[in-house]
């Protein structure tokens, strides 16, 4: 109590003239304060001041690392809170300030933070943002971290360099192209797993009726709609760009994909015009949808919340399109380190925390939080996760193996100039620096809306999309 009184009185004496002072409801007079202080041994005062002075540097050295991500499932949040507590206990000079937002909300927050130069030190980055952000100096290279973790252990294609440097480290792979089917509904109609678009359309038609829908797809003006259209375009043999980065959106594959969606809309819920990521799960969970092409978060949620629906649902390979292959949309979910150019401050501390959460036991633990949705990018972790996660799927290990199959896949950045031959995807190896701006402006999603809701022909919509994309590319080249 004596040291505390010294501290309070010292502060009061510094800030006020030698007149009557009020402190904690008591009245102190200057003479009384002087008498009190004279009674305190000098050594005590010196010791108290020393303690205060010694504590100031320690307080000043605490570094805050801002951490933004979109893994909002409660088990994932629980994992991050646990990891943060563990890391802070090991590193008392670092404090992690975490913020979790929706996938759509992440884009708005990142763009606003870039413009205001208030970027969090660690943030979830999209593949189509990588090239632009790296070239503008918004990111810090992470090659040293990749080498420390083990460059050769990453799955092929999960590390994407920009001008020879890696600027983001993957923490999971996202496969948006698993076919989820209601086995009970298919059996009741005498139907089997669709192998191609013809089968898929026929099954969807047969399953529609009596309040049920045979199919579901997103058609809101959002990134998920662009993802869905993209895998159909590729499965029909088209691409947005050729290997020379010329816009090729107006092609037969795009027209076939749009015509297919127009037909499939009649077997889908009326609300698809606003559907995004979460709706692909939530609407399926009503039990009124027969076929759903989406990520494995769907089955993870079903296992936790609707056990009967989980038992009635199985995973299957993506039906082949007119190109002879079902091309999956698979992208790496990665974290990046912001640079000082966009407001990042404690970069070394952030680097330390980033490595802590994307490697070793923590990568495995995180991957199991929403199994089998979170595919580990490290080869030596994948098999462990499949085995250890089987219990959460009631022993149905085959679900995880289908979800973890990322063969014959593309994403926005890698699709330019891809070819489709003999049931396989052949990548050109070209990284597209332009497509991120196209997707961010919602052009592919708007093309879908023009066909599905505005009765524009697939040919006219593809031509409109081609022009809009070309305008964007021309502007970026200036």
């Amino acid at each position: 109590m004596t040291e505390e009184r010294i501290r309070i009185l010292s502060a009061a004496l510094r800030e006020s003239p030698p007149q009557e002072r009020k402190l904690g409801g008591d009245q102190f007079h200057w003479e009384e304060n002087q008498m009190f202080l004279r009674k305190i041994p000098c050594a005590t005062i010196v010791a108290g001041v020393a303690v205060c002075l010694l504590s100031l540097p320690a307080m000043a050295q605490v570094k805050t690392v801002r951490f933004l991500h979109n893994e909002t499932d409660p088990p994932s949040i629980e994992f991050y809170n646990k990891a943060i507590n563990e890391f802070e206990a090991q590193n008392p000079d670092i404090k992690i300030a975490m913020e979790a937002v929706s996938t759509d909300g992440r884009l708005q927050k990142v763009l606003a933070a870039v413009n205001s130069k208030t970027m969090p030190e660690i943030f979830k980055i999209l593949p189509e943002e990588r090239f632009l952000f790296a070239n503008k100096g918004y990111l810090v290279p992470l090659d040293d971290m990749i080498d420390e973790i083990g460059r050769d252990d990453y799955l092929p294609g999960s590390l994407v360099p920009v001008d020879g440097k890696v600027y983001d480290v993957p923490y999971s792979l996202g496969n948006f192209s698993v076919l989820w089917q209601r086995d009970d509904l298919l059996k009741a109609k005498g139907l089997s797993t669709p192998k191609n678009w013809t089968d898929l359309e026929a099954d969807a038609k047969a399953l529609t009726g009596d309040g049920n829908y045979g199919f579901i797809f997103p058609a809101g003006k959002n990134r998920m709609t662009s993802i869905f259209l993209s895998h159909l375009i590729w499965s029909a043999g088209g691409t947005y760009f050729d290997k020379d980065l010329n816009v090729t959106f107006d092609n037969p594959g795009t027209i076939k994909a749009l015509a297919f969606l127009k037909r499939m809309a009649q077997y889908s819920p009326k609300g698809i015009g606003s559907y995004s990521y979460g709706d692909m799960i939530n609407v399926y969970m009503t039990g009124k949808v027969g076929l759903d092409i989406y990520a494995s978060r769907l089955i993870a949620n079903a296992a936790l919340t609707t056990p009967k629906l989980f038992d009635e649902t199985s995973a299957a390979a993506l039906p082949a399109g007119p190109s002879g292959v079902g091309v999956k949309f698979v992208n790496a979910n990665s974290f990046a380190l912001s640079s000082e150019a966009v407001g990042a401050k404690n970069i070394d501390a952030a680097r330390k925390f980033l490595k802590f959460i994307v490697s070793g036991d923590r990568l495995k633990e995180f991957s199991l939080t929403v199994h089998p949705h979170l595919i580990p990018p490290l080869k030596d972790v994948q098999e462990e996760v499949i085995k250890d996660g089987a219990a959460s799927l009631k022993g149905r290990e085959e679900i995880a193996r289908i979800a973890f199959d990322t063969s014959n896949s593309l994403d926005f950045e890698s699709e330019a100039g891809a070819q489709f031959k003999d049931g396989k995807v052949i990548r050109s190896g070209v990284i597209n620096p332009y497509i991120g701006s196209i997707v961010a402006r919602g052009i592919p999603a708007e093309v879908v809306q023009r066909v599905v809701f505005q009765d524009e022909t697939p040919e006219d919509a593809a031509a409109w999309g081609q022009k809009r994309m070309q305008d964007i590319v021309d502007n970026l080249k200036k």
Side-chain angles (χ1 to χ4, degrees):
M1 291 298 293
T2 302
E3 291 181 1
E4 178 66 10
R5 193 173 183 187
I6 293 171
R7 183 187 67 78
I8 295 172
L9 282 172
S10 298
L13 293 172
R14 285 195 303 271
E15 295 170 2
S16 305
Q19 301 167 353
E20 186 178 87
R21 290 167 171 81
K22 183 176 182 179
L23 187 63
D26 295 325
Q27 297 295 327
F28 292 97
H29 296 278
W30 176 246
E31 295 81 0
E32 293 172 350
N33 291 336
Q34 286 184 314
M35 186 177 298
F36 172 75
L37 288 172
R38 288 193 195 103
K39 294 179 181 179
I40 301 172
C42 183
T44 302
I45 296 177
V46 171
V49 171
V51 169
C52 293
L53 292 175
L54 287 172
S55 66
L56 288 175
M59 293 172 61
Q61 290 172 7
V62 175
K63 301 174 182 177
T64 298
V65 172
R66 295 163 294 162
F67 172 37
L68 175 70
H69 66 84
N70 62 341
E71 302 296 342
T72 55
D73 286 292
S76 297
I77 296 296
E78 182 180 351
F79 162 80
Y80 281 125
N81 283 330
K82 178 183 175 184
I84 288 171
N85 289 337
E86 183 181 347
F87 178 82
E88 290 180 341
Q90 296 175 15
N91 301 272
D93 59 330
I94 301 174
K95 178 176 178 57
I96 308 300
M98 180 178 70
E99 182 177 4
V101 296
S102 69
T103 299
D104 291 329
R106 185 218 67 94
L107 177 61
Q108 298 170 2
K109 192 168 265 306
V110 166
L111 292 177
V114 165
N115 290 331
S116 61
K117 291 183 169 49
T118 57
M119 276 292 285
E121 282 72 24
I122 302 173
F123 73 103
K124 161 71 178 290
I125 187 171
L126 299 179
E128 59 268 25
E129 295 168 343
R130 180 187 296 121
F131 190 94
L132 178 65
F133 282 18
N135 277 279
K136 283 186 172 292
Y138 298 165
L139 308 178
V140 176
L142 297 174
D143 290 276
D144 55 347
M145 182 187 301
I146 297 297
D147 289 333
E148 290 168 5
I149 295 172
R151 188 178 296 264
D152 293 339
D153 196 31
Y154 282 94
L155 290 168
S158 60
L159 298 176
V160 181
V162 177
D163 295 330
K165 296 180 180 179
V166 175
Y167 287 90
D168 59 294
V169 56
Y171 63 90
S172 74
L173 302 179
N175 180 359
F176 287 89
S177 305
V178 179
L179 173 64
W180 304 104
Q181 62 181 31
R182 285 286 301 278
D183 293 334
D184 57 323
L185 299 181
L186 289 172
K187 183 178 180 181
K189 295 287 185 177
L191 304 172
S192 57
T193 299
K195 303 299 183 185
N196 51 49
W197 283 13
T198 301
D199 294 345
L200 184 61
E201 186 174 350
D203 284 2
K205 181 179 180 179
L207 293 170
T208 300
D210 299 325
N212 293 326
Y213 300 95
F215 196 61
I216 180 176
F217 67 93
K221 191 175 179 182
N222 52 59
R223 185 173 181 265
M224 185 58 224
T225 298
S226 296
I227 287 174
F228 202 90
L229 173 63
S230 298
H231 96 256
L232 293 178
I233 291 174
W234 304 331
S235 296
T239 58
Y240 288 72
F241 287 76
D242 65 18
K243 62 182 178 60
D244 298 317
L245 295 179
N246 298 306
V247 180
T248 57
F249 184 76
D250 187 3
N251 66 72
T254 298
I255 293 169
K256 290 176 183 176
L258 291 169
F260 182 69
L261 284 179
K262 177 68 173 179
R263 297 195 303 272
M264 296 300 283
Q266 61 190 312
Y267 312 125
S268 304
K270 302 301 181 185
I272 58 174
S274 63
Y275 283 7
S276 186
Y277 296 91
D279 303 289
M280 297 296 288
I281 297 174
N282 297 335
V283 178
Y284 186 84
M285 293 300 172
T286 65
K288 296 184 177 298
V289 174
L291 300 163
D292 188 343
I293 297 172
Y294 190 59
S296 300
R297 189 183 297 273
L298 180 150
I299 201 67
N301 285 17
L304 286 173
T305 62
T306 54
K308 184 174 185 296
L309 186 62
F310 170 82
D311 293 339
E312 295 167 340
T313 300
S314 66
L318 185 66
S323 71
V325 59
V327 184
K328 308 179 190 79
F329 188 105
V330 176
N331 66 247
N333 295 303
S334 301
F335 290 130
L337 283 185
S338 302
S339 71
E340 292 179 349
V342 286
K345 296 176 181 178
N346 299 310
I347 295 175
D348 288 341
R351 186 192 301 269
K352 190 173 185 179
F353 177 67
L354 179 56
K355 181 183 176 183
F356 181 81
I357 58 172
V358 298
S359 60
D361 291 340
R362 280 162 299 281
L363 177 63
K364 175 183 173 182
E365 186 179 346
F366 172 74
S367 300
L368 288 168
T369 60
V370 193
H371 184 68
H373 175 63
L374 301 168
I375 306 171
L378 295 176
K379 290 177 281 190
D380 65 347
V381 178
Q382 276 206 0
E383 192 62 29
E384 293 182 39
V385 170
I386 290 176
K387 295 293 186 184
D388 291 355
S392 67
L393 301 175
K394 298 183 180 180
R396 298 170 65 185
E397 195 175 292
E398 77 283 356
I399 292 178
R401 296 202 178 276
I402 292 173
F404 279 32
D405 179 6
T406 57
S407 62
N408 288 327
S409 65
L410 294 169
D411 65 6
F412 289 126
E413 251 191 346
S414 65
E415 68 93 46
Q419 297 182 2
F420 315 97
K421 294 181 179 179
D422 302 322
K424 293 183 179 179
V425 175
I426 304 171
R427 296 190 180 200
S428 69
V430 174
I431 302 300
N432 191 338
Y434 306 119
I435 198 165
S437 296
I438 289 169
V439 175
R441 287 168 172 79
I443 306 303
E446 188 169 345
V447 168
V448 171
Q449 292 190 328
R450 294 171 80 96
V451 172
V452 174
F453 304 115
Q454 299 172 26
D455 290 327
E456 194 166 297
T457 67
E459 291 81 4
D460 287 347
W464 177 87
Q466 171 86 17
K467 184 179 185 306
R468 289 286 289 112
M469 293 177 191
Q470 188 63 60
D471 290 344
I472 292 171
V473 171
D474 290 344
N475 186 59
L476 291 171
K477 288 181 177 180
K478 291 179 181 179

